[in-house]
Amino acid sequence: MSTHRCPALFITAPASGQGKTTVTAALARWHSLQGRKVRVFKTGPDFLDPMILERASGEPVYQLDLWMGGENHCRALLHDAAATADLILIEGVMGLFDGNPSSADLAALFGIPILAVIDASAMAQTFGAIAHGLVHYRNGLAFAGVLANRVGGATHADMLAESMSPDIHWFGALPSNPDLSLPDRHLGLVQAGEIADLESRLDCAARQIDNTKLTTLPPAVDFKSASYDIPAPMLKNLRIAVARDAAFSFLYRANLDCLQTLGATLTFFSPLTDPHLPDTDAIYLPGGYPELHLQQLAENQSMKTALAAHYAASKPMVAECGGMMVLLQSLTSTDGKSFAMTGLLAGHAVMQSSLANLGLHHAQLPEGTLRGHTFHYSQMRDGPAPITQSEATRHSGKAESVFQQKRLTASYLHWYFPSNPTATARLFLA
C-alpha cells in the first residue's frame, strides 16, 4: 500500500445555496494562478458544479460518493490525484451533516480539514452560533475554520468575527457581489459553457481570496492507495458513441473512464447538430437539458432516423433521463408546447415546474445490480411496462421504472458505472 501526501481542504456549509461552489471555484482559480496544480472533487451525484470547477482549476473533476462508488473507489480517486496535485479541494453537498452518507462522513473517513462557508447576508451574532454548532455537533472532524460569505461590509464582518468562539479559526469574509454569483436554473447551476462571462466571474472571485486568510496552503493529508479488482476488458474492440452537446452533457468522467477500462473505444456525437451517427456498435445517451432544445431536436429528422435504425438492428443503447426522454413519442415543455421525438419507446414526457423525483437508487437488472441517482422535473405518461423498479436509499423514496426493449435500456436513473463494471459491460455488449 502506497501513500501520497497532499494539502487538502473540504469546503462545506450549513445548507445548500450558501456559496460553496463559488468559494471552491475561487480557491481553485486563485491557487491555479499561483502556478499550482489543483484537483477538485465534488461530493455526491452532481453534473453541473463539476463543470464550473473544471473551468476554475483547469483539471478534470470527479465525484466522490461513498454509496454510489464505495470507499475503495473514492480512496483510489484521491490517491491518484494526490500523486501529482499541489492541492486537493473537495466541495461538499447540501449541508455538512445532510444525507447518508454525508459530507461529514466523507471528510471524517479521509481526515480532511473542513472549511465551513456560511451565508451571513441576513444575520449578525447568530453567525457565531451556527459556526459553533457546525464545529461541535460531531466529534472526530478536523475543522480548519469558518469563512463568512455575502457580507455587507467591514462593520458587518467585524460583528461576525466577534461572535465566533475563540476555538474556531476565522478565515475572513467575502463580500456580497453579484459579479461573484453563478446563475442557476431548475436542475442547479447553469452549464459552464452557457455562461458567457464565466472566466471573468472566476477571476473576480479569485481576487477576493487575497482579502482572506485562505492564501496559504491547508495542512497536508495522507492519501492511501486502495485495493480493488480491475475489471476484465469485456468491451474490448467495442465502439460506443456517446451523446455530448448542450442538450446531453450529464456525464460522469468516471463512467467514461469505466467504459474505456472495460476496453471500449469512445466517440462523441451531437443529437442536436449531427445529421448521422458515427460508425458504432453501441450508443450511450446521457441526461442533460433536452427540454431547452426541443425544436432543434425535433427538426433533426436524419438523427432520429439514425437512432431508429440502430434500435431496429438490435444494437445496444443505454439512455438516462433526458436521453430517455428523446426516445419517447413526444416531449412537452412547461409552456405546453409539444414536440415529436424519436418514438422508439411508447410514452410522452411532460415538463413541470415542480420536482418529480430526487435521490440515490439502485436497480436489479438482468445484467446485474447498478447504483445511481435520479433528479428530474418531468413526468412520463402512457409509457411501456417496465422490467423492474429501482429501490431508493430513503425509506420514503419514490421508485423509478427501468425499461428494456430489444437491446435498449432506458430509465430516469443516471447510472454510476463504477458501481458494477461487469453489469455495465453487459448493457453495452453487442
Side-chain angles (χ1 to χ4, degrees):
M1 177 178 291
S2 65
T3 299
H4 297 310
R5 190 168 175 80
C6 182
L9 193 64
F10 197 109
I11 297 91
T12 187
S16 297
Q18 304 279 299
K20 294 189 302 292
T21 304
T22 300
V23 172
T24 307
L27 281 168
R29 175 57 62 92
W30 191 90
H31 284 282
S32 295
L33 291 173
Q34 313 311 308
R36 298 183 178 117
K37 182 175 180 178
V38 183
R39 287 296 309 276
V40 188
F41 293 88
K42 172 64 183 179
T43 308
D46 191 311
F47 298 106
L48 296 166
D49 291 1
M51 297 179 188
I52 303 291
L53 299 173
E54 288 195 356
R55 291 280 291 273
S57 65
E59 297 290 338
V61 173
Y62 287 78
Q63 288 72 19
L64 296 176
D65 191 284
L66 291 173
W67 185 82
M68 289 200 310
E71 178 182 338
N72 277 345
H73 176 64
C74 294
R75 190 176 296 281
L77 288 172
L78 288 168
H79 177 263
D80 290 347
T84 59
D86 300 304
L87 172 65
I88 288 176
L89 299 174
I90 302 173
E91 183 194 344
V93 61
M94 301 170 61
L96 175 58
F97 303 105
D98 295 333
N100 183 25
S102 66
S103 293
D105 294 329
L106 188 67
L109 178 64
F110 295 109
I112 301 168
I114 294 170
L115 170 68
V117 176
I118 303 175
D119 181 352
S121 58
M123 69 175 77
Q125 285 81 5
T126 303
F127 181 92
I130 294 174
H132 181 86
L134 288 172
V135 173
H136 296 288
Y137 181 78
R138 170 175 167 177
N139 294 327
L141 296 177
F143 257 90
V146 174
L147 178 75
N149 194 26
R150 299 168 186 154
V151 175
T155 301
H156 187 195
D158 288 343
M159 282 193 295
L160 301 173
E162 291 165 3
S163 72
M164 298 270 289
S165 300
D167 63 326
I168 301 176
H169 183 65
W170 166 256
F171 275 105
L174 296 181
S176 179
N177 184 343
D179 292 336
L180 303 181
S181 62
L182 298 169
D184 60 8
R185 58 164 68 103
H186 57 283
L187 292 180
L189 294 178
V190 172
Q191 297 180 95
E194 299 177 66
I195 306 174
D197 61 345
L198 178 58
E199 293 301 320
S200 63
R201 286 175 183 265
L202 292 171
D203 288 340
C204 180
R207 286 193 293 271
Q208 302 304 316
I209 298 299
D210 283 320
N211 302 318
T212 71
K213 299 177 182 178
L214 288 165
T215 56
T216 57
L217 285 171
V221 175
D222 289 334
F223 293 100
K224 298 179 180 179
S225 60
S227 58
Y228 62 98
D229 295 330
I230 298 175
M234 297 172 63
L235 300 181
K236 186 176 180 180
N237 299 324
L238 190 84
R239 299 163 300 175
I240 300 178
V242 183
R244 186 172 65 180
D245 57 23
F248 304 94
S249 57
F250 292 179
L251 281 163
Y252 291 126
R253 280 187 174 272
N255 276 10
L256 301 180
D257 289 354
C258 181
L259 293 175
Q260 291 175 312
T261 300
L262 287 164
T265 299
L266 305 184
T267 57
F268 297 90
F269 72 101
S270 170
L272 280 175
T273 60
D274 289 344
H276 306 291
L277 288 167
D279 193 11
T280 189
D281 303 303
I283 293 175
Y284 179 25
L285 286 171
Y289 284 114
E291 64 270 24
L292 302 181
H293 306 272
L294 287 176
Q295 184 169 344
Q296 189 174 357
L297 286 168
E299 291 177 350
N300 193 352
Q301 189 59 52
S302 61
M303 177 56 70
K304 291 195 287 186
T305 299
L307 290 170
H310 182 97
Y311 171 79
S314 295
K315 292 183 176 182
M317 185 185 307
V318 176
E320 304 171 342
C321 199
M324 176 187 70
M325 288 157 60
V326 299
L327 300 183
L328 299 174
Q329 293 167 277
S330 71
L331 178 51
T332 302
S333 62
T334 53
D335 60 4
K337 295 180 180 178
S338 185
F339 293 82
M341 295 291 107
T342 58
L344 304 186
L345 279 173
H348 308 270
V350 179
M351 297 301 302
Q352 58 188 35
S353 58
S354 58
L355 183 64
N357 204 4
L358 169 69
L360 296 169
H361 287 243
H362 74 272
Q364 296 181 358
L365 309 178
E367 294 80 8
T369 300
L370 271 177
R371 294 186 173 192
H373 85 283
T374 184
F375 184 22
H376 59 98
Y377 277 73
S378 70
Q379 295 277 13
M380 183 193 291
R381 299 175 181 173
D382 304 320
I387 63 156
T388 189
Q389 297 280 333
S390 70
E391 183 177 336
T393 57
R394 292 184 294 113
H395 70 277
S396 58
K398 177 183 175 183
E400 293 284 7
S401 296
V402 181
F403 309 99
Q404 284 191 332
Q405 294 180 183
K406 293 190 174 182
R407 293 294 292 116
L408 166 65
T409 300
S411 177
Y412 269 117
L413 292 172
H414 299 273
W415 306 110
Y416 194 69
F417 295 160
S419 68
N420 191 335
T422 299
T424 297
R426 290 168 178 161
L427 288 176
F428 286 96
L429 280 172

